[in-house]
Amino acid sequence: MTLSRVSGLGALAFGVLLSGAARADEPKVEINTQSILASNDGQGVEPASLAAMKDKFSKEGFAFTSFKELKQQALVLAKGREVEVKLPNGQDVHLRLDDVVGGVAKIHVRLPPIDTTYTLGREGSVFIDGGHHQKGTLVFVLSPADAARHK
Amino acid sequence: MAVKPTCEPFVPTLSPFVDGELDPLARARVQEHLSGCADCTGRVADLRASSNLVRAGLEMAAEDVAWDGFAERVMAKVTPARLPWPQALWVSWQERWTYQRGYLVLAAGAAAAAVALAVATPARLRAPEGYANEHMALGTVSTDESAHVAPVVLETDNGDSIIWVVDHEHVQALGVPDASYKEVDSQGTSGQNGTKPPTGGTL
């Protein structure tokens, strides 16, 4: 390898890293999503951490006896780019980061026929009716990224 | 011993002959002369005896020499004095720049990139982007008109939101006008507008 080629490769690597750093400036947020099957088919709560969700639903009048996590996915949303998540019942959820203003991310979630917008926070969750599935109802859960929860 | 005229050309070559330093032609001439000259044969015998004596003496002397650390002592004498560190650094840098310029450029690029990442990383670790707020908050909620359903938004004790879909007929039975479901802010949830919350499995 000649000297000029090595130098060229060095410059290229440097350029790639710089462009990567520039891309890192684009607004991006991380979120957690879950697909939970809520039903009256048995008493199972899997994983056990869903007991808190069961309790919340119970207090709001939902009489589901079983909560099972079918899917868990961490997503990175970039401004203006839609991300699609397929639910176990075939429904598609479309998520998009609209903007980050003053450090607060505003995201748009479309789970037909529902259209919603949220501002992210370090605590809390949003539970969205995801339609029928098997013997129960799917609940699409939106939560802060793990890294955000412990701040 | 007087040297005979016939021996004169050969006497200077006898020592190289004994030491094996003659070329083949000269060696053949000496051997031819030795075959007919007793004087020179005697001289060669004397030379060989002397040579063996010297060799034996050297070997005996060598056995008495302490060779431990010989190499180190020799190298210590041939190694130049150590340069002051700034000068040594400058010489080292010059040598590297002369012979490894490409690698130096590459290393400099990598170092610059590492610095850029080091500067950027703590900013990301301080607080994840977009999470300046303490709690997640619901903004707007709407449903497709063609679906003939309406969203019911419930807020739990700790501020979580549950968004459920109910048929228009069911909503009307609850006594809530459809228009109220087009946009719901995080505070004014429809579930708190005097309606009973939905029941799991019966919606």
Side-chain angles (χ1 to χ4, degrees), chain B:
Chain B
M1 183 191 304
V3 179
K4 291 188 287 189
T6 53
C7 293
E8 279 181 359
F10 292 100
V11 170
T13 64
L14 293 180
S15 180
F17 174 79
V18 169
D19 294 336
E21 295 169 350
L22 295 179
D23 62 66
L25 183 61
R27 188 173 184 80
R29 283 180 188 154
V30 171
Q31 280 177 328
E32 186 182 355
H33 174 73
L34 289 176
S35 62
C37 178
D39 290 350
C40 283
T41 301
R43 290 187 182 101
V44 165
D46 290 345
L47 286 170
R48 281 188 171 140
S50 302
S51 178
N52 288 339
L53 195 62
V54 169
R55 186 180 299 114
L58 287 174
E59 286 175 357
M60 287 172 65
E63 286 174 1
D64 293 338
V65 174
W67 295 103
D68 293 342
F70 175 75
E72 289 78 7
R73 288 198 298 276
V74 170
M75 291 309 294
K77 288 181 180 175
V78 299
T79 304
R82 207 169 168 184
L83 294 171
W85 72 265
Q87 197 176 342
L89 196 65
W90 176 243
V91 170
S92 168
W93 165 253
Q94 282 181 318
E95 286 179 355
R96 284 173 192 277
W97 184 249
T98 302
Y99 300 111
Q100 300 174 325
R101 191 171 302 179
Y103 293 111
L104 286 175
V105 170
L106 194 63
V115 168
L117 284 177
V119 169
T121 302
R124 290 181 62 196
L125 290 177
R126 270 196 299 275
E129 191 172 12
Y131 284 96
N133 275 358
E134 178 69 24
H135 210 282
M136 290 185 76
L138 184 60
T140 60
V141 182
S142 62
T143 53
D144 298 341
E145 276 190 38
S146 59
H148 300 294
V149 293
V152 172
V153 181
L154 305 167
E155 197 162 316
T156 66
D157 294 343
N158 63 349
D160 292 349
S161 299
I162 300 174
I163 303 167
W164 219 251
V165 173
V166 294
D167 291 337
H168 274 181
E169 291 174 3
H170 188 78
V171 173
Q172 284 162 357
L174 293 172
V176 180
D178 285 358
S180 66
Y181 298 102
K182 296 300 180 187
E183 187 164 311
V184 184
D185 64 34
S186 59
Q187 303 302 316
T189 59
S190 61
Q192 295 170 339
N193 286 345
T195 64
K196 291 181 181 178
T199 305
T202 64
L203 291 171

Side-chain angles (χ1 to χ4, degrees), chain A residues 30 56 110 115 117 122 127, chain B residues 131 139 142 144 160-161 163:
Chain A
E30 296 177 31
K56 286 173 191 171
R110 173 163 174 75
D115 247 306
T117 60
R122 295 185 296 278
F127 306 92
Chain B
Y131 284 96
S142 62
D144 298 341
D160 292 349
S161 299
I163 303 167

